Amino acid sequence: MDVLVIGSGGREYALVWKIAQSPMVGKVYCAPGNAGIAQQAECIAISTQDFDGLVQFTRDKQIGLVIVGPEDPLAHGIVDRFHEEGLMVFGPRAAAAQLESSKSFAKRLMMKYGIPTGAYAEFSDAEEAIAYVKDRGAPVVVKADGLAAGKGVTVARDVNAAVNAICQAMLDRAFGEAGSRIIIEEYLEGEEASILAFTDGRTVVPMATSQDHKPVFDGDEGPNTGGMGAYSPAPVVTPEWCAEIQRTILQPTVDAMASEGAPYAGVLYAGLMMTVNGPKVIEFNCRFGDPETQVVLPRMKSDIIPVFVACTNGSLDQIQIEWTQDACVTVVMASGGYPGPYQKGKPIEGLDDAQREGAAMVFHAGTAWDNGRVVTNGGRVLNVTACGETIPKAIDAAYAAVRCIHFEDAHYRNDIGSKALKHLGL
């Protein structure tokens, strides 16, 4: 079958890369794609928001399977639209995607069904939110209720920081309509981890564990980003905790969504805090994580197409997924200034050198072609990824590749994977 991947980032590049390996696949298309994806698939100049155009293209090309990458079209009902047209599409419907598109929806669901998470309160009035924080004290976590591209979260260590975050979201509208409502959460102590799982609405099959690095600077300093790097596996998630996450979080959430009349099929992403009292949910996402996908899929030995199909037709209980024992690390090379204002159009050099030895893969995230050259075209520009027998070897290979690549004002963290080394006693 021919396959269409919708999206333009590093996650979509990794999906295209994995899908293209399947013997079940003929041609791979990506809409709109980027300069790197264009080397793996035919890129189509159709926006992720142009549902009519995407449906028409799928019909015209007789595409057998559509994979939706980003959260925004999922939240706005792209899967519903494709289902209405009788087309096979992988991803949750809009009602199910509320797990990500509305933090308050997700929190209410978890509270109702006893899914472990931190205490919270929600507000649509800034003065009430400020009064709550002043009364409660800090630290707290302030989150825009809606979609904010991974940037609508502030871990406020003191009351002033919390008040500033509230004002930024609700009064300054830094995140647009997404910040018109906020939630204020209990600050959870522990280490974060990401668990992605395939589900058909009943069966839940977890993927390999991973850990994202949200803050922009080394040592988890600075503002949150969409993610500055990741590694897999995450040693903090022991086999015992994997079983507990499946039993107390993943399966109960899918069961809860079915009970609420919004069955969830696709990828369920659980962002977790591994606390002394066990795993607790920080957030849910309704799609493949970015950059977690870039370290999870390279470790997947199984063909991914049968998994996608099983999630769409309700037969996931018949699927077994195999994973390699290797580790995988990805380092995000970002534009200077990200997650704030940044410039585009900077020529990128060294891409071939980074991949010449075969140890590294460079998944383009924010790139474009300009007069025959690859240039920067986003905040997160490249996901420089490498696998190795161990996490230290994967880290070394990834950073060796990073050092081959150059563009003006490039920024990246130097400590991706360091938490894993501590767990390993290294």
Side-chain angles (χ1 to χ4, degrees), residues 35-56:
I37 293 174
Q39 300 171 40
Q40 297 267 338
E42 182 175 339
C43 291
I44 309 300
I46 305 176
S47 164
T48 60
Q49 299 301 318
D50 183 1
F51 294 1
D52 290 341
L54 292 166
V55 165
Q56 190 60 52

PDB file of all heavy atoms in Angstrom, residues 35-56:
ATOM      1  N   ALA A  35      13.015  19.508   4.163  1.00  0.00           N
ATOM      2  CA  ALA A  35      14.109  19.232   3.231  1.00  0.00           C
ATOM      3  C   ALA A  35      14.684  17.837   3.408  1.00  0.00           C
ATOM      4  O   ALA A  35      15.092  17.192   2.435  1.00  0.00           O
ATOM      5  CB  ALA A  35      15.211  20.280   3.414  1.00  0.00           C
ATOM      6  N   GLY A  36      14.733  17.344   4.635  1.00  0.00           N
ATOM      7  CA  GLY A  36      15.256  16.001   4.867  1.00  0.00           C
ATOM      8  C   GLY A  36      14.279  14.919   4.474  1.00  0.00           C
ATOM      9  O   GLY A  36      14.650  13.920   3.847  1.00  0.00           O
ATOM     10  N   ILE A  37      13.022  15.109   4.833  1.00  0.00           N
ATOM     11  CA  ILE A  37      11.991  14.126   4.488  1.00  0.00           C
ATOM     12  C   ILE A  37      11.914  13.946   2.983  1.00  0.00           C
ATOM     13  O   ILE A  37      11.646  12.845   2.485  1.00  0.00           O
ATOM     14  CB  ILE A  37      10.630  14.556   5.072  1.00  0.00           C
ATOM     15  CG1 ILE A  37      10.668  14.497   6.601  1.00  0.00           C
ATOM     16  CG2 ILE A  37       9.500  13.672   4.537  1.00  0.00           C
ATOM     17  CD1 ILE A  37       9.418  15.042   7.280  1.00  0.00           C
ATOM     18  N   ALA A  38      12.185  15.017   2.233  1.00  0.00           N
ATOM     19  CA  ALA A  38      12.127  14.952   0.768  1.00  0.00           C
ATOM     20  C   ALA A  38      13.117  13.958   0.189  1.00  0.00           C
ATOM     21  O   ALA A  38      12.972  13.522  -0.956  1.00  0.00           O
ATOM     22  CB  ALA A  38      12.377  16.337   0.181  1.00  0.00           C
ATOM     23  N   GLN A  39      14.124  13.568   0.970  1.00  0.00           N
ATOM     24  CA  GLN A  39      15.079  12.561   0.519  1.00  0.00           C
ATOM     25  C   GLN A  39      14.570  11.143   0.760  1.00  0.00           C
ATOM     26  O   GLN A  39      15.156  10.178   0.264  1.00  0.00           O
ATOM     27  CB  GLN A  39      16.407  12.772   1.241  1.00  0.00           C
ATOM     28  CG  GLN A  39      17.024  14.140   0.992  1.00  0.00           C
ATOM     29  CD  GLN A  39      18.221  14.412   1.896  1.00  0.00           C
ATOM     30  OE1 GLN A  39      19.032  13.522   2.144  1.00  0.00           O
ATOM     31  NE2 GLN A  39      18.334  15.627   2.387  1.00  0.00           N
ATOM     32  N   GLN A  40      13.490  11.015   1.548  1.00  0.00           N
ATOM     33  CA  GLN A  40      12.933   9.705   1.895  1.00  0.00           C
ATOM     34  C   GLN A  40      11.548   9.474   1.310  1.00  0.00           C
ATOM     35  O   GLN A  40      11.127   8.335   1.146  1.00  0.00           O
ATOM     36  CB  GLN A  40      12.835   9.585   3.422  1.00  0.00           C
ATOM     37  CG  GLN A  40      14.153   9.648   4.162  1.00  0.00           C
ATOM     38  CD  GLN A  40      14.746   8.274   4.412  1.00  0.00           C
ATOM     39  OE1 GLN A  40      14.047   7.270   4.409  1.00  0.00           O
ATOM     40  NE2 GLN A  40      16.052   8.216   4.616  1.00  0.00           N
ATOM     41  N   ALA A  41      10.834  10.560   1.029  1.00  0.00           N
ATOM     42  CA  ALA A  41       9.444  10.457   0.584  1.00  0.00           C
ATOM     43  C   ALA A  41       9.138  11.586  -0.387  1.00  0.00           C
ATOM     44  O   ALA A  41       9.901  12.552  -0.492  1.00  0.00           O
ATOM     45  CB  ALA A  41       8.503  10.526   1.789  1.00  0.00           C
ATOM     46  N   GLU A  42       8.036  11.476  -1.084  1.00  0.00           N
ATOM     47  CA  GLU A  42       7.596  12.578  -1.939  1.00  0.00           C
ATOM     48  C   GLU A  42       6.807  13.574  -1.089  1.00  0.00           C
ATOM     49  O   GLU A  42       5.775  13.225  -0.510  1.00  0.00           O
ATOM     50  CB  GLU A  42       6.718  12.075  -3.084  1.00  0.00           C
ATOM     51  CG  GLU A  42       6.282  13.201  -4.020  1.00  0.00           C
ATOM     52  CD  GLU A  42       5.501  12.718  -5.229  1.00  0.00           C
ATOM     53  OE1 GLU A  42       5.618  11.522  -5.588  1.00  0.00           O
ATOM     54  OE2 GLU A  42       4.769  13.539  -5.820  1.00  0.00           O
ATOM     55  N   CYS A  43       7.328  14.792  -0.992  1.00  0.00           N
ATOM     56  CA  CYS A  43       6.671  15.815  -0.179  1.00  0.00           C
ATOM     57  C   CYS A  43       5.622  16.549  -1.003  1.00  0.00           C
ATOM     58  O   CYS A  43       5.855  16.900  -2.166  1.00  0.00           O
ATOM     59  CB  CYS A  43       7.698  16.801   0.376  1.00  0.00           C
ATOM     60  SG  CYS A  43       8.783  16.064   1.628  1.00  0.00           S
ATOM     61  N   ILE A  44       4.485  16.761  -0.372  1.00  0.00           N
ATOM     62  CA  ILE A  44       3.341  17.390  -1.023  1.00  0.00           C
ATOM     63  C   ILE A  44       3.031  18.703  -0.319  1.00  0.00           C
ATOM     64  O   ILE A  44       2.898  18.734   0.909  1.00  0.00           O
ATOM     65  CB  ILE A  44       2.095  16.467  -0.964  1.00  0.00           C
ATOM     66  CG1 ILE A  44       2.448  15.063  -1.464  1.00  0.00           C
ATOM     67  CG2 ILE A  44       0.943  17.055  -1.746  1.00  0.00           C
ATOM     68  CD1 ILE A  44       2.944  15.009  -2.885  1.00  0.00           C
ATOM     69  N   ALA A  45       2.896  19.774  -1.069  1.00  0.00           N
ATOM     70  CA  ALA A  45       2.679  21.102  -0.486  1.00  0.00           C
ATOM     71  C   ALA A  45       1.218  21.293  -0.079  1.00  0.00           C
ATOM     72  O   ALA A  45       0.487  22.108  -0.647  1.00  0.00           O
ATOM     73  CB  ALA A  45       3.111  22.181  -1.466  1.00  0.00           C
ATOM     74  N   ILE A  46       0.803  20.512   0.922  1.00  0.00           N
ATOM     75  CA  ILE A  46      -0.548  20.651   1.477  1.00  0.00           C
ATOM     76  C   ILE A  46      -0.403  20.859   2.975  1.00  0.00           C
ATOM     77  O   ILE A  46       0.281  20.096   3.657  1.00  0.00           O
ATOM     78  CB  ILE A  46      -1.425  19.409   1.207  1.00  0.00           C
ATOM     79  CG1 ILE A  46      -1.485  19.089  -0.283  1.00  0.00           C
ATOM     80  CG2 ILE A  46      -2.832  19.620   1.764  1.00  0.00           C
ATOM     81  CD1 ILE A  46      -2.257  17.811  -0.598  1.00  0.00           C
ATOM     82  N   SER A  47      -1.033  21.886   3.511  1.00  0.00           N
ATOM     83  CA  SER A  47      -0.957  22.202   4.929  1.00  0.00           C
ATOM     84  C   SER A  47      -1.607  21.114   5.770  1.00  0.00           C
ATOM     85  O   SER A  47      -2.567  20.455   5.337  1.00  0.00           O
ATOM     86  CB  SER A  47      -1.641  23.547   5.195  1.00  0.00           C
ATOM     87  OG  SER A  47      -1.912  23.720   6.565  1.00  0.00           O
ATOM     88  N   THR A  48      -1.118  20.956   6.998  1.00  0.00           N
ATOM     89  CA  THR A  48      -1.726  20.000   7.920  1.00  0.00           C
ATOM     90  C   THR A  48      -3.148  20.413   8.297  1.00  0.00           C
ATOM     91  O   THR A  48      -3.900  19.591   8.829  1.00  0.00           O
ATOM     92  CB  THR A  48      -0.887  19.870   9.203  1.00  0.00           C
ATOM     93  OG1 THR A  48      -0.797  21.144   9.844  1.00  0.00           O
ATOM     94  CG2 THR A  48       0.512  19.367   8.889  1.00  0.00           C
ATOM     95  N   GLN A  49      -3.514  21.663   8.051  1.00  0.00           N
ATOM     96  CA  GLN A  49      -4.860  22.140   8.372  1.00  0.00           C
ATOM     97  C   GLN A  49      -5.814  22.091   7.180  1.00  0.00           C
ATOM     98  O   GLN A  49      -6.998  22.375   7.328  1.00  0.00           O
ATOM     99  CB  GLN A  49      -4.785  23.577   8.901  1.00  0.00           C
ATOM    100  CG  GLN A  49      -3.972  23.721  10.178  1.00  0.00           C
ATOM    101  CD  GLN A  49      -4.517  22.876  11.311  1.00  0.00           C
ATOM    102  OE1 GLN A  49      -5.730  22.795  11.510  1.00  0.00           O
ATOM    103  NE2 GLN A  49      -3.640  22.227  12.062  1.00  0.00           N
ATOM    104  N   ASP A  50      -5.309  21.751   6.013  1.00  0.00           N
ATOM    105  CA  ASP A  50      -6.140  21.689   4.809  1.00  0.00           C
ATOM    106  C   ASP A  50      -6.754  20.297   4.698  1.00  0.00           C
ATOM    107  O   ASP A  50      -6.323  19.462   3.905  1.00  0.00           O
ATOM    108  CB  ASP A  50      -5.295  22.023   3.574  1.00  0.00           C
ATOM    109  CG  ASP A  50      -6.104  22.051   2.285  1.00  0.00           C
ATOM    110  OD1 ASP A  50      -7.342  21.822   2.345  1.00  0.00           O
ATOM    111  OD2 ASP A  50      -5.498  22.299   1.215  1.00  0.00           O
ATOM    112  N   PHE A  51      -7.781  20.062   5.489  1.00  0.00           N
ATOM    113  CA  PHE A  51      -8.389  18.736   5.525  1.00  0.00           C
ATOM    114  C   PHE A  51      -8.965  18.345   4.166  1.00  0.00           C
ATOM    115  O   PHE A  51      -8.840  17.202   3.730  1.00  0.00           O
ATOM    116  CB  PHE A  51      -9.479  18.672   6.587  1.00  0.00           C
ATOM    117  CG  PHE A  51      -8.980  18.812   8.012  1.00  0.00           C
ATOM    118  CD1 PHE A  51      -7.630  19.013   8.284  1.00  0.00           C
ATOM    119  CD2 PHE A  51      -9.861  18.744   9.082  1.00  0.00           C
ATOM    120  CE1 PHE A  51      -7.177  19.146   9.589  1.00  0.00           C
ATOM    121  CE2 PHE A  51      -9.418  18.876  10.393  1.00  0.00           C
ATOM    122  CZ  PHE A  51      -8.073  19.073  10.643  1.00  0.00           C
ATOM    123  N   ASP A  52      -9.610  19.293   3.493  1.00  0.00           N
ATOM    124  CA  ASP A  52     -10.180  19.000   2.178  1.00  0.00           C
ATOM    125  C   ASP A  52      -9.090  18.574   1.202  1.00  0.00           C
ATOM    126  O   ASP A  52      -9.246  17.589   0.466  1.00  0.00           O
ATOM    127  CB  ASP A  52     -10.906  20.228   1.618  1.00  0.00           C
ATOM    128  CG  ASP A  52     -12.185  20.548   2.379  1.00  0.00           C
ATOM    129  OD1 ASP A  52     -12.692  19.660   3.082  1.00  0.00           O
ATOM    130  OD2 ASP A  52     -12.676  21.690   2.255  1.00  0.00           O
ATOM    131  N   GLY A  53      -7.990  19.322   1.203  1.00  0.00           N
ATOM    132  CA  GLY A  53      -6.896  19.001   0.289  1.00  0.00           C
ATOM    133  C   GLY A  53      -6.269  17.659   0.595  1.00  0.00           C
ATOM    134  O   GLY A  53      -5.922  16.894  -0.322  1.00  0.00           O
ATOM    135  N   LEU A  54      -6.120  17.337   1.875  1.00  0.00           N
ATOM    136  CA  LEU A  54      -5.513  16.065   2.268  1.00  0.00           C
ATOM    137  C   LEU A  54      -6.411  14.887   1.912  1.00  0.00           C
ATOM    138  O   LEU A  54      -5.940  13.842   1.436  1.00  0.00           O
ATOM    139  CB  LEU A  54      -5.209  16.076   3.767  1.00  0.00           C
ATOM    140  CG  LEU A  54      -4.093  17.042   4.194  1.00  0.00           C
ATOM    141  CD1 LEU A  54      -4.108  17.239   5.703  1.00  0.00           C
ATOM    142  CD2 LEU A  54      -2.735  16.519   3.728  1.00  0.00           C
ATOM    143  N   VAL A  55      -7.717  15.048   2.134  1.00  0.00           N
ATOM    144  CA  VAL A  55      -8.662  13.994   1.768  1.00  0.00           C
ATOM    145  C   VAL A  55      -8.658  13.772   0.259  1.00  0.00           C
ATOM    146  O   VAL A  55      -8.616  12.630  -0.228  1.00  0.00           O
ATOM    147  CB  VAL A  55     -10.080  14.343   2.270  1.00  0.00           C
ATOM    148  CG1 VAL A  55     -11.122  13.450   1.593  1.00  0.00           C
ATOM    149  CG2 VAL A  55     -10.165  14.189   3.778  1.00  0.00           C
ATOM    150  N   GLN A  56      -8.679  14.875  -0.505  1.00  0.00           N
ATOM    151  CA  GLN A  56      -8.708  14.760  -1.957  1.00  0.00           C
ATOM    152  C   GLN A  56      -7.443  14.095  -2.483  1.00  0.00           C
ATOM    153  O   GLN A  56      -7.499  13.232  -3.367  1.00  0.00           O
ATOM    154  CB  GLN A  56      -8.861  16.138  -2.593  1.00  0.00           C
ATOM    155  CG  GLN A  56      -9.134  16.097  -4.103  1.00  0.00           C
ATOM    156  CD  GLN A  56     -10.422  15.346  -4.436  1.00  0.00           C
ATOM    157  OE1 GLN A  56     -11.475  15.636  -3.879  1.00  0.00           O
ATOM    158  NE2 GLN A  56     -10.331  14.359  -5.328  1.00  0.00           N
TER     159      GLN A  56
END
